[in-house]
Amino acid sequence: MFLRRVALPLMARVKETTGIVGLDVVPNAREVLISLYTKTLKEIKRVPEDEGYRKAVESFTSHRLKVCQEEEDWEQIEKRLGCGQVEELIEEAQDELKLMGLLNEWDPWGVPDDYECEVIENDAPVPKHVPLHRPGPLPEEFYKTLESITSTSKRGEPKITPMSQSEEQSAAGT
């Protein structure tokens, strides 16, 4: 009984390296993750409930927090989450908290309903650094085919018109 309660946790495998340059081993990774996920769930409450971002963050963070609370061993946490090493998860959680701070500062969901933004019409000059993505004109055959398909005979069947010799040559690519 003594071995199970005291010795086994002490004999748990110790992580020596992450194998990722610049990413050091965090000996108390589980506790750090639990703390970060708890902060994340507290901080996300500042985002409106109907926002997709809040729903997504709450969902995956709650799941990850639950796994961290259920598992004592870092290997089991990594295995159950399947999202990389615990040290990577720590970095992700820290980044998420930074992003939430910025989003709360920027307030992208606080756009008033009567907000008007500038609309650039098609004939407005486009800055030189912005590529133009205007499709060229469609071939004349397209319009003829479209017209023949959309025009119907009295029975409701599509009207089929024979192609002229020049149209056949054009369609054949000769």
Side-chain angles (χ1 to χ4, degrees):
M1 189 72 160
F2 174 78
L3 283 176
R4 286 188 192 152
R5 285 194 181 164
V6 177
L8 283 180
L10 295 175
M11 294 172 32
R13 197 162 154 221
V14 177
K15 191 180 227 182
E16 295 176 15
T17 180
T18 62
I20 301 172
V21 176
L23 187 60
D24 296 329
V25 172
V26 178
N28 61 337
R30 177 180 174 268
E31 292 77 18
V32 172
L33 283 171
I34 290 172
S35 171
L36 287 169
Y37 291 149
T38 305
K39 283 181 191 174
T40 301
L41 290 173
K42 181 181 175 188
E43 195 68 25
I44 197 68
K45 299 229 184 289
R46 294 175 55 194
V47 175
E49 286 184 25
D50 59 336
E51 291 297 325
Y53 173 69
R54 176 176 173 167
K55 292 174 185 175
V57 169
E58 281 180 332
S59 174
F60 75 77
T61 304
S62 297
H63 170 70
R64 290 178 178 187
L65 177 60
K66 181 182 174 195
V67 170
C68 290
Q69 289 170 337
E70 291 173 356
E71 298 294 340
E72 297 285 331
D73 185 33
W74 60 268
E75 288 178 313
Q76 289 302 313
I77 292 171
E78 289 177 357
K79 184 177 177 183
R80 279 191 57 192
L81 291 178
C83 296
Q85 299 182 41
V86 287
E87 289 80 7
E88 292 174 294
L89 293 170
I90 290 170
E91 282 196 348
E92 281 181 23
Q94 290 169 339
D95 290 345
E96 196 68 54
L97 278 169
K98 287 177 193 171
L99 176 62
M100 268 190 275
L102 292 172
L103 288 174
N104 286 326
E105 178 186 329
W106 297 333
D107 194 24
W109 32 79
V111 178
D113 291 334
D114 61 342
Y115 178 79
E116 292 185 25
C117 63
E118 180 184 355
V119 177
I120 298 175
E121 299 293 334
N122 284 341
D123 57 348
V126 178
K128 291 181 181 178
H129 68 280
V130 177
L132 293 176
H133 297 292
R134 294 187 178 147
L138 294 170
E140 196 173 317
E141 294 83 29
F142 170 81
Y143 294 106
K144 289 180 183 177
T145 306
L146 181 64
E147 185 180 332
S148 68
I149 291 172
T150 56
S151 63
T152 57
S153 64
K154 292 181 183 178
R155 291 187 273 160
E157 296 175 8
K159 180 181 174 184
I160 300 173
T161 56
M163 293 175 98
S164 68
Q165 190 173 11
S166 63
E167 289 175 330
E168 287 178 16
Q169 289 174 348
S170 173
T174 55

